[in-house]
Amino acid sequence: MSDTVESAVIVAIDGPAGTGKSSTSKAVAAALGLRYLDTGAQYRAITWWMITNGVDTADAAAIATASDKPAIVSGTDPAGPTITVDGEDVSAPIRTPEVSAQVSAVSAVPEVRTRITGLQQAIAAAAETGIVVEGRDIGTTVLPDADLKIFLTASAEARAARRAGELKGADVEATRQALVKRDAADSGRATSPLAMAADAVEVDTTELTLQQVVDRVVALVEERRAAAR
């Protein structure tokens, strides 16, 4: 196997919110010289577009009809990932509580998942040096043939504490309840639910530092590369 093929590794990192997916994925991609894709940002982007354009996010039919309208472009540099909708930088507005509260409903619409999954697969296919793709259904639906699949977990309490810290002083218990609600919505949806792929490696991050998680995933990638030689 050539060095080029060896380096073009596709890593899928799934798991619920607050497990450290984004921080881990960006750091792993940077360490290994890979591209990086935050698929959750894409679902947030289409949700932001629906809200901004007056589409009722409780109306699945209306969401389905509008799902192919926004032009969503993701930059895959792990040092500075970007996302635009119709040419507008939406990296900040997609992180608002309003979007967070409605993204699960929008993401559950099959037409939305089909549209965004297609974008994700195209980005992964175009990543000549390989890519780390993080989300909730990457190993099961988006990239079932990924070279390595990781499923990050952590206790609800640890995840809430991390997320509350990110949100600068948010109430930890309220954050925990929101995360549990989001888990239920994501795991229970009919189309591409949050689930661990049968061949994924589970990494519990509850008691681990970010660097320990990154080191573990990098080691797993290197093991797979060595086995493929």
Side-chain angles (χ1 to χ4, degrees), residues 49-64:
W49 185 92
M50 296 288 174
I51 295 168
T52 303
N53 286 274
V55 177
D56 182 357
T57 58
D59 185 342
I63 292 170

PDB file of all heavy atoms in Angstrom, residues 49-64:
ATOM      1  N   TRP A  49     -31.184  28.416   9.077  1.00  0.00           N
ATOM      2  CA  TRP A  49     -31.782  28.933   7.841  1.00  0.00           C
ATOM      3  C   TRP A  49     -33.310  28.831   7.920  1.00  0.00           C
ATOM      4  O   TRP A  49     -34.011  29.761   7.520  1.00  0.00           O
ATOM      5  CB  TRP A  49     -31.263  28.151   6.633  1.00  0.00           C
ATOM      6  CG  TRP A  49     -31.731  28.703   5.320  1.00  0.00           C
ATOM      7  CD1 TRP A  49     -31.102  29.637   4.529  1.00  0.00           C
ATOM      8  CD2 TRP A  49     -32.954  28.373   4.641  1.00  0.00           C
ATOM      9  NE1 TRP A  49     -31.851  29.904   3.417  1.00  0.00           N
ATOM     10  CE2 TRP A  49     -33.000  29.143   3.451  1.00  0.00           C
ATOM     11  CE3 TRP A  49     -34.006  27.520   4.919  1.00  0.00           C
ATOM     12  CZ2 TRP A  49     -34.061  29.067   2.550  1.00  0.00           C
ATOM     13  CZ3 TRP A  49     -35.073  27.444   4.027  1.00  0.00           C
ATOM     14  CH2 TRP A  49     -35.086  28.208   2.864  1.00  0.00           C
ATOM     15  N   MET A  50     -33.816  27.713   8.415  1.00  0.00           N
ATOM     16  CA  MET A  50     -35.270  27.535   8.537  1.00  0.00           C
ATOM     17  C   MET A  50     -35.867  28.609   9.449  1.00  0.00           C
ATOM     18  O   MET A  50     -36.869  29.252   9.111  1.00  0.00           O
ATOM     19  CB  MET A  50     -35.594  26.145   9.108  1.00  0.00           C
ATOM     20  CG  MET A  50     -35.179  24.976   8.247  1.00  0.00           C
ATOM     21  SD  MET A  50     -36.190  24.755   6.770  1.00  0.00           S
ATOM     22  CE  MET A  50     -35.273  23.407   5.970  1.00  0.00           C
ATOM     23  N   ILE A  51     -35.235  28.824  10.612  1.00  0.00           N
ATOM     24  CA  ILE A  51     -35.727  29.821  11.563  1.00  0.00           C
ATOM     25  C   ILE A  51     -35.676  31.218  10.943  1.00  0.00           C
ATOM     26  O   ILE A  51     -36.644  31.983  11.010  1.00  0.00           O
ATOM     27  CB  ILE A  51     -34.884  29.784  12.858  1.00  0.00           C
ATOM     28  CG1 ILE A  51     -35.072  28.453  13.581  1.00  0.00           C
ATOM     29  CG2 ILE A  51     -35.249  30.943  13.778  1.00  0.00           C
ATOM     30  CD1 ILE A  51     -34.074  28.210  14.713  1.00  0.00           C
ATOM     31  N   THR A  52     -34.545  31.546  10.328  1.00  0.00           N
ATOM     32  CA  THR A  52     -34.334  32.875   9.741  1.00  0.00           C
ATOM     33  C   THR A  52     -35.313  33.163   8.611  1.00  0.00           C
ATOM     34  O   THR A  52     -35.722  34.314   8.406  1.00  0.00           O
ATOM     35  CB  THR A  52     -32.883  32.994   9.225  1.00  0.00           C
ATOM     36  OG1 THR A  52     -31.983  32.730  10.294  1.00  0.00           O
ATOM     37  CG2 THR A  52     -32.614  34.386   8.660  1.00  0.00           C
ATOM     38  N   ASN A  53     -35.697  32.108   7.892  1.00  0.00           N
ATOM     39  CA  ASN A  53     -36.587  32.288   6.741  1.00  0.00           C
ATOM     40  C   ASN A  53     -38.049  31.982   7.052  1.00  0.00           C
ATOM     41  O   ASN A  53     -38.864  31.832   6.138  1.00  0.00           O
ATOM     42  CB  ASN A  53     -36.096  31.436   5.569  1.00  0.00           C
ATOM     43  CG  ASN A  53     -34.849  32.039   4.930  1.00  0.00           C
ATOM     44  OD1 ASN A  53     -34.941  32.900   4.058  1.00  0.00           O
ATOM     45  ND2 ASN A  53     -33.681  31.606   5.383  1.00  0.00           N
ATOM     46  N   GLY A  54     -38.366  31.897   8.349  1.00  0.00           N
ATOM     47  CA  GLY A  54     -39.764  31.773   8.751  1.00  0.00           C
ATOM     48  C   GLY A  54     -40.400  30.423   8.516  1.00  0.00           C
ATOM     49  O   GLY A  54     -41.630  30.314   8.483  1.00  0.00           O
ATOM     50  N   VAL A  55     -39.588  29.382   8.358  1.00  0.00           N
ATOM     51  CA  VAL A  55     -40.145  28.038   8.196  1.00  0.00           C
ATOM     52  C   VAL A  55     -40.472  27.487   9.587  1.00  0.00           C
ATOM     53  O   VAL A  55     -39.636  27.524  10.488  1.00  0.00           O
ATOM     54  CB  VAL A  55     -39.149  27.101   7.479  1.00  0.00           C
ATOM     55  CG1 VAL A  55     -39.719  25.695   7.375  1.00  0.00           C
ATOM     56  CG2 VAL A  55     -38.804  27.650   6.101  1.00  0.00           C
ATOM     57  N   ASP A  56     -41.683  26.978   9.766  1.00  0.00           N
ATOM     58  CA  ASP A  56     -42.113  26.428  11.049  1.00  0.00           C
ATOM     59  C   ASP A  56     -41.360  25.133  11.320  1.00  0.00           C
ATOM     60  O   ASP A  56     -41.561  24.133  10.621  1.00  0.00           O
ATOM     61  CB  ASP A  56     -43.622  26.177  11.009  1.00  0.00           C
ATOM     62  CG  ASP A  56     -44.172  25.651  12.331  1.00  0.00           C
ATOM     63  OD1 ASP A  56     -43.380  25.423  13.270  1.00  0.00           O
ATOM     64  OD2 ASP A  56     -45.404  25.450  12.411  1.00  0.00           O
ATOM     65  N   THR A  57     -40.488  25.119  12.330  1.00  0.00           N
ATOM     66  CA  THR A  57     -39.678  23.931  12.583  1.00  0.00           C
ATOM     67  C   THR A  57     -40.475  22.799  13.230  1.00  0.00           C
ATOM     68  O   THR A  57     -39.930  21.720  13.459  1.00  0.00           O
ATOM     69  CB  THR A  57     -38.448  24.278  13.457  1.00  0.00           C
ATOM     70  OG1 THR A  57     -38.897  24.846  14.693  1.00  0.00           O
ATOM     71  CG2 THR A  57     -37.531  25.251  12.752  1.00  0.00           C
ATOM     72  N   ALA A  58     -41.751  23.045  13.495  1.00  0.00           N
ATOM     73  CA  ALA A  58     -42.628  21.977  13.978  1.00  0.00           C
ATOM     74  C   ALA A  58     -43.402  21.335  12.827  1.00  0.00           C
ATOM     75  O   ALA A  58     -44.143  20.372  13.020  1.00  0.00           O
ATOM     76  CB  ALA A  58     -43.603  22.517  15.020  1.00  0.00           C
ATOM     77  N   ASP A  59     -43.219  21.877  11.624  1.00  0.00           N
ATOM     78  CA  ASP A  59     -43.943  21.411  10.433  1.00  0.00           C
ATOM     79  C   ASP A  59     -42.973  20.631   9.551  1.00  0.00           C
ATOM     80  O   ASP A  59     -42.232  21.208   8.752  1.00  0.00           O
ATOM     81  CB  ASP A  59     -44.511  22.616   9.681  1.00  0.00           C
ATOM     82  CG  ASP A  59     -45.377  22.215   8.495  1.00  0.00           C
ATOM     83  OD1 ASP A  59     -45.269  21.066   8.040  1.00  0.00           O
ATOM     84  OD2 ASP A  59     -46.143  23.077   8.003  1.00  0.00           O
ATOM     85  N   ALA A  60     -42.975  19.304   9.685  1.00  0.00           N
ATOM     86  CA  ALA A  60     -42.025  18.470   8.950  1.00  0.00           C
ATOM     87  C   ALA A  60     -42.179  18.608   7.442  1.00  0.00           C
ATOM     88  O   ALA A  60     -41.184  18.591   6.698  1.00  0.00           O
ATOM     89  CB  ALA A  60     -42.187  17.007   9.363  1.00  0.00           C
ATOM     90  N   ALA A  61     -43.404  18.771   6.981  1.00  0.00           N
ATOM     91  CA  ALA A  61     -43.630  18.895   5.539  1.00  0.00           C
ATOM     92  C   ALA A  61     -43.016  20.193   5.001  1.00  0.00           C
ATOM     93  O   ALA A  61     -42.406  20.211   3.918  1.00  0.00           O
ATOM     94  CB  ALA A  61     -45.129  18.856   5.236  1.00  0.00           C
ATOM     95  N   ALA A  62     -43.153  21.266   5.764  1.00  0.00           N
ATOM     96  CA  ALA A  62     -42.582  22.550   5.341  1.00  0.00           C
ATOM     97  C   ALA A  62     -41.057  22.476   5.333  1.00  0.00           C
ATOM     98  O   ALA A  62     -40.398  23.009   4.418  1.00  0.00           O
ATOM     99  CB  ALA A  62     -43.051  23.659   6.275  1.00  0.00           C
ATOM    100  N   ILE A  63     -40.500  21.815   6.334  1.00  0.00           N
ATOM    101  CA  ILE A  63     -39.048  21.646   6.401  1.00  0.00           C
ATOM    102  C   ILE A  63     -38.572  20.826   5.212  1.00  0.00           C
ATOM    103  O   ILE A  63     -37.570  21.161   4.555  1.00  0.00           O
ATOM    104  CB  ILE A  63     -38.635  20.962   7.718  1.00  0.00           C
ATOM    105  CG1 ILE A  63     -38.894  21.907   8.894  1.00  0.00           C
ATOM    106  CG2 ILE A  63     -37.177  20.551   7.686  1.00  0.00           C
ATOM    107  CD1 ILE A  63     -38.734  21.240  10.246  1.00  0.00           C
ATOM    108  N   ALA A  64     -39.272  19.750   4.902  1.00  0.00           N
ATOM    109  CA  ALA A  64     -38.890  18.881   3.789  1.00  0.00           C
ATOM    110  C   ALA A  64     -38.883  19.649   2.475  1.00  0.00           C
ATOM    111  O   ALA A  64     -37.952  19.524   1.669  1.00  0.00           O
ATOM    112  CB  ALA A  64     -39.851  17.691   3.705  1.00  0.00           C
TER     113      ALA A  64
END
